[in-house]
Every structure is written in structure tokens, then in C-alpha cells.
Amino acid sequence: MSEFAQQLLNGVTLGAVYALVALGFTMIFGVLELIAFAQGGVYMIGAYVGLLVASRLAGGWLLLLLIALPTAALAGGALNVAVDRIAYRPIRNSGRLAPLISGIGIYIFLQNGADLWLGSQPQPYPSVLPAGGFAIGGVYATEAQLVVILASCVCVFLLWYLVRRTQVGLWMRAVAERPAMASLMGIEPERVIIITFFVGGALAGVAGVLVGAWLGVATPVMGFLIGLKAFAAAVIGGIGNIPGALIGGIAIGLIETFGAGYISSAYSDAFVFIVLILVLMFRPHGILGVQLPERG
Amino acid sequence: MYQTRSGLGSLFVALLGVVPTCVGISTSAAAQSSVQIGVAVPLSGPDAPFGKAIANGVALAVKMANDGGGLPGSLTVNVQDDQEKPEVASTVARKFCATSNMIGVVGNLASSINLSTQVVYSECGLAQISPSSSNDVLTTRGYKTFFRTEAPNAFQSAKGADFVASLPKIKNIAVIDTNDATTKAQAKLFIDEIKKKPGLAVVAHANVTENGVDFRGALTSVIAAKPDLIYVPGYFNDAALMVKQSRELGYKGTFLGIDSDVTPEFIGVAGAANAEGVYMTNLGLDPLHTAAAEKFVAAYRAAYNSDPITVASNAFDAANAIIGAWKEGGGGADRAKVVDGLHKIQVPGTSGQISFTSTGEMTNPTCSIFQVQGGKLVYLGPF
């Protein structure tokens, strides 16, 4: 029984991690219907920015975290705006395939750039999360784990609030629904897109710091698999839907840990993508997603 | 920038290689014959420190042989940068093959590079001794010219199992590999050996995805099987994360890692408190703590003002084996005689007597144990 409870906690934590990364995907898709593959690369750069900042400072974990998070968020946001300017904006109206491939190109560029500049060796993460841990009835939890779960829920709420309850969110939804009509109503679609990419990049930066610190290392390849799984999480939850990213993330996290724990650890990644295929076959708009109206 | 730098580096190395050659030719007018020993190792890129140590070890062996006298000619060293790239290493190998007074080569550093140079050296009949490559495949390909002064991975797995059997109070063993060819093979060999030991049992075996992901799903079920020791034959990054995450999941037992974990970064990633007590097997011996290597260590320190690492002593042994085989053959530049001589050689080395089996493997390979104590890697000695 305690093994089951432990696996449940493992799965929820991992799911919260995927949800953090999935938020960026889901938000950009919501506005542009674009699968922003470079998100994984921005996430990795965010992790390194946090690492470089925190390792040059001295202080308690909370102070380091409060410095590393905004720095990584700013860097991730700025990088994502640059990625949009270079890779997506010039081909804005050329269908879906071109920006997808362009994004993959940017991802490869970022990963190899980090490899050359920072080295391919994994680097230990400075302690920006609390080090303590405790056990309840044979289930072991760490404070770092709880911070990650909490941060994920907070990010989901803040993003939901931004999109549903603010003026900027209204613009975003307007551009997402009818870009031409929004433009006629005095909304500048390109400005909204820049804001969307900035927020998506900032989320990826925050995720990079939290996940890097929780796992304990940063590597140039860290964004690849997590990017794929976060994308799967976004699709399973209903891409474009913000609470859906959290639900999809936790679903993926649970599938992966229970698959590894009870079936076979060699195939835990395969289970994730099998479920993705099943969802796409039987409920293509995801758990919380609604059928999107076809754009003219 | 990157290109220019490595380009200059190899040019510099090429010049270095030419200088001793010229010296060799000018003195050969006086002595009866001059021959060369080649060194093909990375002198640029992340593994350059290892390449440099190998070049130092060979140069020291050649210097001591020349100074000692009684040689049927004089020896020079020709060092080339293989840039740890298969195509560059093959070009260097062809260059060595085309050098008529080249009698043997020490190199290359990485197993993957040796895979592409073995065939070149074999075609021109030039003896090649790798001081550092441990992939099991290398000595199974039938190349008569290939030797190594490094023990193979399979030996490390077997020794690891022997070491586990020697530990008190260890009965239940778990194994976690990272699902790639090398660690899977090592895990399998280790498990086969453990099964032969009375009183030991493998209670869990997991395969996980490599590269810094979350291993807690697999670890939770491994820990639930209550192992006393977990064998983690992966890259240090993965092994260290497994150690860290297992401790966070309440695991109190110990771990056994492998040679790729013998780096301070392992402790950095795992955290000093989590890594405390972790054992690691390492191929070869630490020359600084080996009686047979005392003279070598003193000479190395005097020549380079630094402590030799294991690959330096392996390279020193490799060069001495080539020199010994060449002497036995009566000198000259007959490559076939050197290769034959290496198959029969018996010379004292830094880890004991050096001799080779018919496949080019060391007859007496060595393995040692490290342990993390007080946040540092401590050498526990040969095993």
C-alpha cells in the first residue's frame, strides 16, 4: 500500500513538471494554432540561466530562487520573442507545416549551441529548492517536490487568470478566435502574439529552473524528451485549454510512473505515447478540449 | 572560431610531430638506426587532458629507454592529434602506416575511435596498443595487430560481482541499467556472475531511459524489493541521479557504480551526503598507490611536475611493451617482428607483469575500488 501511495506522489510530482512545460505549448497553440517545438529549447536555456545566476550568488534557497526565477523568466520570455521574430513571423501565413519544422530547427540550434557554449557535460544544479524531506507512513516526500507541485498549480491559476480575467487575455482570446475581426476592432494581432510568446517563454524559463533544481542537473539535451511529453500532456488535456494542461500533465506523470513501477521501466516512455495515440484516436480534442471551429 | 582553434591546434601538433622526427634522422647518421613510436590521441576537445597524459607516459618510456642504453638503435616519439573523430584518427593511422621507420602506435583513447583505426593498422601490419579503451568488442574482431593495456568492461562487471560477494551483510542485489547497449551488457554480465555466488540474489532489475530524467517510478519498485546494494552501471549523470533520488525515497542501503562514476562531478550531482559510502569499480590501478609503479611515478613527477593518472601509466606500459618487442626482435623497422614479439612479451609494468593473450587482451588485467568518503573519492586499492 505504501508503495502505491509513493508511486502516486511520484506520478503527481512528475505530472506537475510536465504541466509547467505544457502550459507554454498550450498557450501558444491557443492563440496561433502553432505547435511551438522550440519550447523545449527555451526551457533548457531557462534552466541554464537559473543555474548560472544562482551558482554565482550566495544565500539561502529562497533568496536564490527569488532571484533565479525572474531572471530565467525574463531570459526565456525574451528568447521566445526572438524565436518568434526569427523563425515564425516571416512564415506566419504559410500553413502549419512550415512553422513546425522551423521550430524544430530552432530547437536543434539551441541544443547544439548550449552544447558548444556550455559543454555537453551535465552540470549540478545549485540548491534553489529546500533540501529537507520527511516520511508519512512509509511514503517519502521532499520539500522540493512540494514546491514544484505548488508552483505548477500557481502558474496554472495565474495563466488562467491572465487569459480569462484581464484585458490582455481578452485580446488574446479575440485574436485566437478571429484574427481579422480582432484587427478590425483595434487590436494589433502581432502585439498580442509577442505578448503570448513572451509569457510562453517566461513559463518555460520558470519550468527550466524548477525542474532543473528538482532533478539536480542541467544538460543541453534536457529539453527534448520533456518537450515531447509536455506536448503530449497538452494534447491529452485538450490543447489550448489551460486547466487541461495540468490534468494532461498529471495524467502523463501517473501513466509514466505506474507504468515504470508496475509494468516495465523499459517501456515507461512508450506507455505515454501509446496513450497519446489512443486519445488522438478516440477523443482528438483531449479531455477538457472543445472542438475548435474551423478557421476560414 | 572553434574551427580555427582546432585547426591551429592540429597544425601545432603536426609541427611537434615533425621536430622529433628531424632530430631522429639527424642522429641516425651517427647511430645505426632510428625508429619511431606513434601516439594518436585527442589533444584538443574535452578529452585532451587524457590524451596529454598518454603522450607524456609514452614520451617518458622512450626517454628512459634511450637514456638506459643497450638499445639496437634510437627511439623517437611522434604525437598526432586524432581530435577524437573517427575520420581524423583514420587519416593519422594512414600517415603512421606510411612512415617507414614506425614500429608501433599507442592509441587511440576512446573505444569508438579504435573501431575505425584497428582496420587501418591491421592492413599495414603496424602494432597498436590502446591504453584506455575498454569496449569488449575490440578484441573480438580478429585483428592480430591490436593490443590494449586497459582491462575490458566484462572484466569490470565480473570483478564488481566478486567485490559485492566480499562485502559483509550484503545479500539482496538490485540492478538498474540505462537501456543502452553498453550498460545493458554490463548489467547482464554482472547478474550472471552474482547468480553464481552462493547466498546472493538479484531481487530487482530495472531498465530506465538515460539522460537526467525522473527515475522515481522505477526506483520505488526497486526499493520495495528491499535490496542491500543497487548496482548502477550507467553514465555518472544517471547513476548520480539514481543515488540522489533513491535516498530521497528513503533507501538506506549502498550502491556500486563503475569507472565512469569515478569523477568529482558524480558527488556534485548526487550531493555529498547522498553519495557517502558509494563504491565504484575502476579499470586499472591508481599508480600513486601501487608499489610496482613507484619508479614510474617518481620519473613522471620529475619530468612533468604533476601526478600521473591511470591512463598515463597504461600508456607507459604500452610503450615499454613495444620497445621490449622491438629489442627482442633485434631492432630495425620490421613491423611483423614487433607484432610477433608483443604476442610473446613479458615485461615488468606499473600494475605487474605485462603480457598479452592471443586476442591482444592483457593476461593479468587489473581492477580497483573507489569509495565516496566525506564527500571525496577515496582509492581503496586493487581488487
Side-chain angles (χ1 to χ4, degrees):
Chain A
M1 189 58 214
S2 78
E3 188 188 343
F4 180 83
Q6 183 74 61
Q7 292 289 26
L8 197 65
L9 178 66
N10 295 340
V12 170
T13 318
L14 188 61
V17 163
Y18 291 145
L20 266 176
V21 187
L23 283 175
F25 276 108
T26 223
M27 192 178 157
I28 292 168
F29 187 89
V31 173
L32 281 175
E33 296 199 5
L34 161 75
I35 299 166
F37 224 92
Q39 281 295 108
V42 177
Y43 156 87
M44 177 270 297
I45 297 289
Y48 271 102
V49 168
L51 183 146
L52 294 174
V53 170
S55 57
R56 269 163 185 71
L57 298 170
W61 69 266
L62 192 62
L63 179 75
L64 291 183
L65 188 68
L66 289 180
I67 295 170
L69 276 187
T71 320
L74 273 179
L79 176 62
N80 222 18
V81 170
V83 167
D84 173 52
R85 190 71 192 80
I86 294 163
Y88 300 134
R89 192 162 159 191
I91 48 173
R92 190 79 82 212
N93 296 313
S94 53
R96 285 192 188 182
L97 194 60
L100 176 73
I101 291 169
S102 177
I104 293 174
I106 290 283
Y107 174 80
I108 293 171
F109 175 81
L110 290 175
Q111 180 177 315
N112 287 289
D115 212 272
L116 279 175
W117 276 41
L118 303 157
S120 58
Q121 289 281 342
Q123 296 192 22
Y125 221 87
S127 31
V128 300
L129 291 177
F134 51 89
I136 307 166
V139 177
Y140 290 84
T142 60
E143 288 164 15
Q145 238 172 340
L146 303 184
V147 172
V148 169
I149 296 174
L150 188 72
S152 192
C153 295
V154 168
C155 284
V156 168
F157 174 76
L158 287 180
L159 195 60
W160 174 85
Y161 188 85
L162 175 78
V163 173
R164 291 280 149 192
R165 292 284 181 273
T166 64
Q167 183 74 43
V168 173
L170 189 65
W171 296 344
M172 281 178 179
R173 281 178 287 144
V175 172
E177 260 172 45
R178 286 279 186 280
M181 186 64 89
S183 165
L184 289 175
M185 303 304 282
I187 300 169
E188 181 76 65
E190 280 305 324
R191 238 176 83 195
V192 173
I193 290 168
I194 287 174
I195 295 170
T196 307
F197 271 96
F198 185 86
V199 175
L203 281 167
V206 167
V209 172
L210 287 172
V211 180
W214 171 64
L215 287 176
V217 281
T219 65
V221 296
M222 68 190 284
F224 181 71
L225 200 56
I226 212 161
L228 282 182
K229 287 184 191 162
F231 174 67
V235 170
I236 288 174
I239 192 151
N241 185 299
I242 291 161
L246 184 64
I247 292 174
I250 288 176
I252 296 264
L254 289 175
I255 293 162
E256 192 178 328
T257 35
F258 280 105
Y262 291 105
I263 309 173
S264 163
S265 50
Y267 297 104
S268 66
D269 291 342
F271 298 137
V272 170
F273 296 108
I274 288 170
V275 170
L276 175 66
I277 291 167
L278 291 177
V279 166
L280 287 174
M281 280 168 75
F282 296 108
R283 200 178 155 80
H285 39 281
I287 299 170
L288 290 190
V290 286
Q291 195 82 50
L292 289 169
E294 280 301 315
R295 267 189 186 174
Chain B
M1 182 63 202
Y2 194 76
Q3 274 301 327
T4 322
R5 230 174 46 205
S6 69
L8 278 178
S10 48
L11 182 69
F12 178 65
V13 169
L15 285 174
L16 265 184
V18 170
V19 173
T21 320
C22 299
V23 173
I25 288 164
S26 63
T27 51
S28 70
Q32 68 245 74
S33 74
S34 166
V35 294
Q36 296 187 49
I37 294 180
V39 177
V41 287
L43 294 167
S44 51
D47 280 341
F50 298 104
K52 185 82 191 125
I54 291 170
N56 284 348
V58 174
L60 185 63
V62 166
K63 182 178 176 294
M64 286 166 80
N66 279 332
D67 292 353
L71 293 180
S74 73
L75 285 160
T76 55
V77 185
N78 184 344
V79 183
Q80 299 286 328
D81 185 4
D82 71 12
Q83 295 175 30
E84 201 120 273
K85 289 177 185 150
E87 67 279 6
V88 179
S90 299
T91 307
V92 169
R94 281 189 210 100
K95 200 188 289 180
F96 282 161
C97 279
T99 309
S100 60
N101 66 339
M102 184 68 67
I103 55 161
V105 175
V106 178
N108 304 77
L109 178 77
S111 294
S112 54
I113 306 297
N114 283 288
L115 283 174
S116 64
T117 57
Q118 279 184 318
V119 58
V120 180
Y121 291 121
S122 167
E123 275 166 9
C124 69
L126 188 56
Q128 169 193 16
I129 308 186
S130 172
S132 52
S133 59
S134 58
N135 194 305
D136 295 326
V137 173
L138 291 171
T139 50
T140 62
R141 303 171 88 207
Y143 294 120
K144 280 295 194 199
T145 47
F146 182 82
F147 302 84
R148 60 176 156 197
T149 48
E150 171 82 308
N153 285 336
F155 177 74
Q156 177 168 215
S157 307
K159 277 298 201 184
D162 290 348
F163 176 71
V164 169
S166 78
L167 291 172
K169 289 191 224 153
I170 302 283
K171 289 198 170 53
N172 297 327
I173 320 285
V175 179
I176 306 176
D177 67 58
T178 46
N179 234 347
D180 58 296
T182 313
T183 67
K184 264 176 111 155
Q186 257 178 319
K188 189 184 174 299
L189 277 162
F190 178 83
I191 291 170
D192 290 347
E193 289 296 318
I194 288 289
K195 282 181 180 160
K196 290 183 206 154
K197 316 270 181 207
L200 294 187
V202 177
V203 293
H205 178 197
N207 342 70
V208 297
T209 311
E210 64 185 335
N211 260 325
V213 289
D214 178 43
F215 302 118
R216 287 175 176 85
L219 289 174
T220 300
S221 60
V222 163
I223 293 167
K226 299 203 183 334
D228 305 309
L229 179 141
I230 303 178
Y231 183 55
V232 283
Y235 191 53
F236 82 83
N237 173 29
D238 297 315
L241 283 178
M242 287 176 201
V243 169
K244 177 174 187 261
Q245 293 172 10
S246 300
R247 294 287 186 230
E248 286 171 1
L249 289 167
Y251 175 65
K252 300 275 189 292
T254 189
F255 294 87
L256 176 66
I258 55 167
D259 54 350
S260 52
D261 302 325
V262 185
T263 155
E265 278 146 327
F266 176 90
I267 303 168
V269 172
N274 296 328
E276 187 67 20
V278 171
Y279 295 105
M280 298 148 186
T281 52
N282 196 29
L283 293 171
L285 306 179
D286 182 352
L288 302 180
H289 296 94
T290 308
E294 249 172 37
K295 260 177 71 184
F296 160 72
V297 172
Y300 192 98
R301 278 180 178 151
Y304 305 109
N305 209 10
S306 66
D307 285 339
I309 55 175
T310 304
V311 288
S313 58
N314 288 351
F316 181 80
D317 288 348
N320 277 330
I322 293 172
I323 297 167
W326 172 68
K327 253 166 82 177
E328 300 268 304
D334 189 339
R335 291 173 183 176
K337 270 190 190 165
V338 175
V339 172
D340 286 344
L342 281 172
H343 281 291
K344 287 176 252 161
I345 196 83
Q346 286 281 348
V347 285
T350 54
S351 64
Q353 200 73 357
I354 298 293
S355 58
F356 299 99
T357 67
S358 58
T359 58
E361 212 74 87
M362 274 196 293
T363 319
N364 305 306
T366 51
C367 181
S368 53
I369 306 286
F370 278 83
Q371 188 181 28
V372 180
Q373 289 178 5
K376 288 200 168 59
L377 286 165
V378 175
Y379 181 71
L380 296 188
F383 187 84

